[in-house]
Amino acid sequence: MRRLDMVVLGLLIAGGINWGLWGLFNFNLVEYIIGNQWINSIIYILVGIASIYYIIRWSTFFKALKK
């Protein structure tokens, strides 16, 4: 499970950097690196799934702390 958490964290960091560059400079790093529209969509979907996964893991982490 640790490896999955590291992949999710990497996707979230990459997504955050991409959003920051988009907001500051109107520059899409994923589009610049990949260039293929359908692969870009897959990457954005994976970042969205990673966000949902992390929200679920985060809530279970805090439930474990309360016990």
Side-chain angles (χ1 to χ4, degrees):
M1 195 76 130
R2 176 102 171 117
R3 185 173 295 181
L4 179 61
D5 290 337
M6 295 304 288
V7 170
V8 166
L9 185 58
L11 282 169
L12 292 177
I13 290 170
I17 290 170
N18 192 50
W19 273 102
L21 288 172
W22 179 256
L24 290 172
F25 306 112
N26 201 20
F27 177 73
N28 188 342
L29 184 63
V30 173
E31 185 177 318
Y32 178 77
I33 292 173
I34 304 299
N36 191 330
Q37 185 64 33
W38 68 272
I39 295 176
N40 290 347
S41 296
I42 291 172
I43 292 172
Y44 294 137
I45 290 168
L46 288 174
V47 170
I49 291 170
S51 299
I52 292 168
Y53 172 81
Y54 215 75
I55 289 169
I56 292 168
R57 291 283 292 161
W58 191 19
S59 65
T60 58
F61 174 73
F62 283 113
K63 285 180 186 175
L65 285 179
K66 289 182 181 181
K67 288 184 179 180

